[in-house]
Amino acid sequence: MKTSSSLKGIRIIDLSMGWAGPLAARNLADLGADVIKVESCENFDWWRSWEATQEWIDEDGAEKSPAFNSVNRNNRNITLDLSHPEGRELLLKLVGRANAVMENFSGGVLPKLDLSYEVFKKVKEDIILLSIHAFGSSGPWEMFRAYGSTAEQSSGLPHVNGISSDPPMMHHIAYGDAVAGLNGASALLIALRHQAKTGKGQFIDLSQVESLLPLVAHGITEFTANGKEPERNGNRSEFFAPNGVYHCAGEDKWIVIQILNEDQWLSFQKLVGAPLKEFGDLEDRLSKLDDLDKIINEWTSSKEAQKLMYVLQDAKIPAAATHTMSTLLNDPHLNSRNFWQWLDRAVVGNQPNPSAPFKVNGERLPIKTPAPTLGQHNQEILTEILELNQKEIDRLENKIGRAVQQECRDRYRMP
């Protein structure tokens, strides 16, 4: 695999934490950007942990988080105390040598540190700042704190999922973070192109909630057109039948079957045979959904999900066996596309990493390095980018607190 050079020479200072910002940064790092993640020993990325107990520290907890390790690959890492004047000054020097800065703090954090787009522009006129906030950087909710799931609730997404007899259904996988991260990467790529063409920077104000709104656009459209909220039908559809998840042979084995047109229905009816003879066109099937789903469940329950998927696909019927985490890891299709890349990482050992979901000229973008340990690249960033000599580094460590720096080294295995 060849290393991607699409963004070679682009440097991004990543102040973000959790999922949204780091996911945006990961996409650009995969394309060759030099992403420098800034943390501190006391205010580390919350995806390492929400809090540090002594037991967690003693057991290298900062390096064991699967979530952190999966989303921060191909980055470098430096620890800076931004609440200290000289730590803040070092950050600004890094910004002066970068193309863009990213952050996803709540609205009051950067002002508290006396950092902003205007401050960054003073050290680098063409700098780009990407701010990913739950509700954006303006408006009456700009200072509200939120996470991916609360952003999901505010977007209305839980009101178009689940079934009508249940409360609004949360997914609990923080769609707000993931969708905002992908939008953030796209916006930053556009801003970098603008920067290259015009020599000008930009402030990108990205809202997690607004990123999610396209997922509920059909409900908004229906309300404006018909004056009613969309009905919550669970796995069923008011436009297709059958449309559901059906049990297969074995424990927790399922298959999704979706009939989109009458040709597919006739093919499916032929495969299942006599039990489906009593069902007619779409209108008739929609009126008998309970009976229809019962018959299909009886038919699928004795069949192996993967084999049935191929039978249905061969008949041009949309179908997919559902995956669990273990089956995804060993999926022959993903493995044939070299999707999982295994890398050795400090503390956790050899671990699978998901590739970028695209190939370039038929080749996977290689994951060059696993997620960095806390402060792993302090020395090289301070010397090679900020051009500090060892005497200056020693002075800073003494002034800011050698004890804190040594604690980082001891506890988090910094070089």
Side-chain angles (χ1 to χ4, degrees):
M1 290 184 291
K2 297 180 180 179
T3 301
S4 174
S5 58
S6 301
L7 295 182
K8 184 178 181 180
I10 298 296
R11 179 171 291 142
I12 298 166
I13 309 304
D14 182 16
L15 305 178
S16 67
M17 299 182 178
W19 195 4
L23 179 61
R26 189 182 82 177
N27 278 274
L28 275 65
D30 286 348
L31 291 170
D34 178 20
V35 175
I36 298 176
K37 186 177 182 71
V38 179
E39 299 181 75
S40 80
C41 291
E42 294 182 339
N43 296 299
F44 42 80
D45 189 325
W46 63 70
W47 260 24
R48 292 185 185 272
S49 177
W50 289 102
E51 58 182 328
T53 63
Q54 188 60 50
E55 180 182 8
W56 178 83
I57 292 170
D58 293 341
E59 295 182 356
D60 290 313
E63 309 308 340
K64 293 181 178 179
S65 165
F68 177 89
N69 291 342
S70 70
V71 84
N72 286 283
R73 68 191 187 207
N74 286 337
N75 291 352
R76 294 197 281 176
N77 189 288
I78 185 172
T79 50
L80 296 175
D81 182 357
L82 302 185
S83 66
H84 190 284
E86 293 208 58
R88 177 180 175 277
E89 188 61 30
L90 286 173
L91 172 67
L92 291 177
K93 287 183 179 179
L94 271 179
V95 171
R97 292 161 173 78
N99 297 87
V101 181
M102 299 174 51
E103 63 94 11
N104 64 346
F105 300 122
S106 58
V109 173
L110 283 189
K112 184 178 179 180
L113 297 170
D114 190 23
L115 296 171
S116 66
Y117 179 53
E118 295 304 320
V119 171
F120 294 146
K121 280 184 66 176
K122 289 179 181 179
V123 297
K124 186 79 183 304
E125 177 62 28
D126 67 345
I127 197 70
I128 299 164
L129 174 61
L130 168 62
S131 290
I132 302 177
H133 296 174
F135 303 102
S137 300
S138 61
W141 288 10
E142 65 174 304
M143 301 300 286
F144 281 12
R145 293 187 176 190
Y147 299 96
S149 292
T150 47
E152 181 182 323
Q153 186 72 269
S154 299
S155 74
L157 188 59
H159 285 265
V160 295
N161 289 284
I163 57 178
S164 57
S165 59
D166 290 339
M169 190 183 80
M170 297 292 291
H171 288 87
H172 297 296
I173 56 171
Y175 274 132
D177 283 322
V179 176
L182 295 174
N183 277 278
S186 299
L188 192 47
L189 282 171
I190 294 169
L192 286 168
R193 179 172 175 81
H194 177 79
Q195 183 188 66
K197 292 180 67 175
T198 68
K200 296 180 180 180
Q202 291 181 326
F203 170 52
I204 304 171
D205 173 14
L206 191 147
S207 161
Q208 287 186 318
V209 171
E210 291 171 24
S211 295
L212 283 172
L213 289 177
L215 300 184
V216 298
H218 64 289
I220 297 169
T221 300
E222 180 166 338
F223 179 76
T224 56
N226 302 319
K228 66 175 185 177
E229 299 279 354
E231 187 175 352
R232 298 165 60 223
N233 295 315
N235 290 327
R236 290 176 173 177
S237 167
E238 61 181 303
F239 304 109
F240 311 117
N243 188 93
V245 182
Y246 303 96
H247 189 255
C248 292
E251 184 178 355
D252 201 24
K253 302 296 183 181
W254 306 85
I255 190 167
V256 174
I257 301 173
Q258 184 180 51
I259 302 298
L260 303 178
N261 57 53
E262 291 308 297
D263 286 341
Q264 292 172 2
W265 166 248
L266 292 174
S267 297
F268 186 64
Q269 197 176 36
K270 183 177 178 180
L271 277 172
V272 178
L276 292 185
K277 295 296 183 182
E278 64 183 271
F279 298 94
D281 61 13
L282 176 61
E283 185 178 355
D284 181 58
R285 301 196 300 273
L286 287 171
S287 70
K288 303 173 182 176
L289 283 176
D290 288 342
D291 291 337
L292 179 62
D293 283 343
K294 181 180 178 181
I295 289 171
I296 295 173
N297 264 310
E298 290 172 351
W299 181 72
T300 60
S301 62
S302 62
K303 294 173 172 54
E304 197 273 319
Q306 287 278 340
K307 291 180 180 178
L308 180 57
M309 174 184 72
Y310 285 113
V311 169
L312 292 170
Q313 289 283 357
D314 285 344
K316 298 184 170 27
I317 297 168
T322 62
H323 270 301
T324 65
M325 298 309 99
S326 61
T327 57
L328 275 173
L329 191 61
N330 297 295
D331 180 67
H333 176 73
L334 293 177
N335 288 337
S336 74
R337 288 176 55 80
N338 302 313
F339 179 75
W340 299 108
Q341 299 186 44
W342 291 77
L343 281 80
D344 278 311
R345 185 184 180 277
V347 181
V348 297
N350 197 30
Q351 296 291 320
N353 292 264
S355 295
F358 53 86
K359 293 184 176 184
V360 177
N361 294 327
E363 293 192 14
R364 283 288 179 198
L365 299 181
I367 301 172
K368 302 182 291 296
T369 59
T373 55
L374 191 61
Q376 178 178 340
H377 302 96
N378 279 0
Q379 190 72 18
E380 71 179 61
I381 294 171
L382 290 171
T383 56
E384 296 174 14
I385 299 178
L386 297 179
E387 300 178 338
L388 301 182
N389 58 42
Q390 194 58 49
K391 184 177 180 180
E392 291 172 313
I393 294 173
D394 291 341
R395 181 191 67 79
L396 285 169
E397 287 185 346
N398 283 321
K399 187 169 184 178
I400 296 176
R402 179 177 287 277
V404 173
Q405 296 296 319
Q406 189 60 48
E407 182 179 8
C408 280
R409 286 195 171 89
D410 293 344
R411 292 179 176 177
Y412 303 119
R413 301 187 179 185
M414 288 165 49

